[in-house]
Structure formats: C-alpha cells, structure tokens
Amino acid sequence: DGGITQSPKYLFRKEGQNVTLSCEQNLNHDAMYWYRQDPGQGLRLIYYSQIVNDFQKGDIAEGYSVSREKKESFPLTVTSAQKNPTAFYLCASTDQNLYNEQFFGPGTRLTVL
Amino acid sequence: DQQVKQNSPSLSVQEGRISILNCDYTNSMFDYFLWYKKYPAEGPTFLISISSIKDKNEDGRFTVFLNKSAKHLSLHIVPSQPGDSAVYFCAASPNTGNQFYFGTGTSLTVIP
C-alpha cells in the first residue's frame, strides 16, 4: 500500500529535550512538507523539501530542524528552542508536477510536559 | 498574514440539506485550489480541487465553485450526510511552485 507513515502517533517529552518526529513515504514523491496544527488554527508550514538534500523554511521554522538524506524520509526535529512545541504535527508529500494534491500522514501529537 | 481565509469556524446543517463552505484568498498568483476533510487526530484527506481555468468542478455530492474576480471559492455538499461531519480546510497553491496555503478550517456538523 502506498502512503505516508508518521510515528509515533503520540509522543511525550520533557521540556528542554529535543525530539525527532519520523515521516516516511513510499509514493515516490519528490516534495515533502511538515505542518503544525494548533486548536482553531489552520495548517502552518514549518519546512518543506522539493528534492533530496535540499529544504526551505516555511512560515514558522524557528525552533525546528529537518534533513532530507533520502527521498522517502523527511524527519523533523523539535528543538528546545521551540517555545510552544505542544501541537499536532502533520507530514505531507506531493508529486512535483503542478496541479497535484498533497497526501498527508496520520499525524503525531507531541506533548511537552 | 493569512492568505487563505475561512471566516466561518463552524456550520450546522440538517441531514439531506445543502452544506455550503466558503473560502476567500488574497494572492492573485494562486491558480490551484483544493478542499480537504479532516477528522480529529487524523491527517487531512483530499476531497476535490479546481484549477483557475475552470469555475466549477463536480464530483458526486461535492461541487467546488471558483469566482476568480472575487477571489472566492465555495464547496457545496448535497445532500449532506452525518458522515460528512468533519473539519474542512480550503487550500491554495500558486503557479510558481509546490507550496500550499491553508485556511483555518470550518467545522461542519450534519444533524441526523
């Protein structure tokens, strides 16, 4: 089955610790994205990558870092510099052709205690 | 600055009636528009899209209308079913690349 997997579904961390969220896709998509969703807000773009070994900051990149060493994988690290890390994190991917929708993973709920 | 806006945070509709969800955008470079449906604690799923060369796209019970001059699009669901109850996000993409801009969502409740 083709799709996007995010693990784990729920993640708890202590304040001050870095944490890495996993995102893997087997859709052979070039572009991958990380969004954050907070209650009452839309999806806000954290980082995106259109090709391996390249990525760009989105609207709210501060306190986050990413890597894109493989086409299938786009892990997101939430660092201790992120002031409000508790949120629902969504990974997505899309074909590089125009007029294609994004496919989303199931999301990871991160709670920082 | 929010480039895609959904001004109604919630909407309640009786089963069988029409649901109309609205979306406004500000960037004239947007030329591809999408609607996603989202259940709590899950990722959004793609519903329907429209490119700027069209003003209407229909898929079963779902129709999206685009008014480019007003920078407005709407999603019509008819007839509405209880299983349609979810949060609906409008998204837009410019003709320059693969970035997507999302609205804040409208929570639809279809009352049986």
Side-chain angles (χ1 to χ4, degrees), chain A residues 4 6-7 15 24 29 41 44 60 76 80 89 95:
Chain A
I4 302 177
Q6 290 183 246
S7 60
E15 195 173 339
E24 304 279 330
H29 285 167
Q41 297 209 32
R44 293 186 291 167
I60 54 165
L76 173 75
S80 56
Y89 290 88
D95 199 300

Side-chain angles (χ1 to χ4, degrees), chain A residues 9 33 37 96 99 102 105, chain B residues 31 36 38 41 43 98-99 103:
Chain A
K9 181 81 171 166
Y33 307 77
Q37 188 193 11
Q96 276 289 50
Y99 307 133
Q102 284 187 319
Chain B
D31 72 341
Y36 284 86
K38 185 182 181 301
N98 282 88
Q99 274 211 61

Side-chain angles (χ1 to χ4, degrees), chain B residues 38-49:
Chain B
K38 185 182 181 301
Y39 294 114
E42 293 183 12
T45 54
F46 170 74
L47 203 54
I48 192 169
S49 65

Side-chain angles (χ1 to χ4, degrees), chain A residues 14-73:
Chain A
K14 288 185 181 177
E15 195 173 339
Q17 289 181 335
N18 290 358
V19 60
T20 297
L21 281 59
S22 161
C23 177
E24 304 279 330
Q25 54 99 1
N26 61 4
L27 299 165
N28 200 34
H29 285 167
D30 290 302
M32 296 186 74
Y33 307 77
W34 274 105
Y35 294 91
R36 167 183 173 140
Q37 188 193 11
D38 294 283
Q41 297 209 32
L43 279 62
R44 293 186 291 167
L45 182 64
I46 304 172
Y47 267 99
Y48 66 104
S49 167
Q50 295 189 312
I51 197 168
V52 173
N53 292 323
D54 186 54
F55 46 82
Q56 283 79 41
K57 292 182 179 180
D59 299 321
I60 54 165
E62 187 177 345
Y64 299 97
S65 66
V66 292
S67 63
R68 187 85 187 277
E69 296 175 4
K70 296 187 299 182
K71 187 175 185 178
E72 305 79 29
S73 178

Side-chain angles (χ1 to χ4, degrees), chain A residues 88-104:
Chain A
F88 189 55
Y89 290 88
L90 286 159
C91 180
S93 72
T94 188
D95 199 300
Q96 276 289 50
N97 296 325
L98 290 178
Y99 307 133
N100 278 308
E101 69 270 19
Q102 284 187 319
F103 292 82
F104 283 86

Side-chain angles (χ1 to χ4, degrees), chain B residues 7-28:
Chain B
N7 293 319
S8 298
S10 63
L11 175 68
S12 289
V13 170
Q14 285 290 138
E15 181 178 2
R17 306 294 287 267
I18 185 170
S19 297
I20 300 176
L21 294 93
N22 293 303
C23 179
D24 297 291
Y25 62 96
T26 57
N27 190 336
S28 57

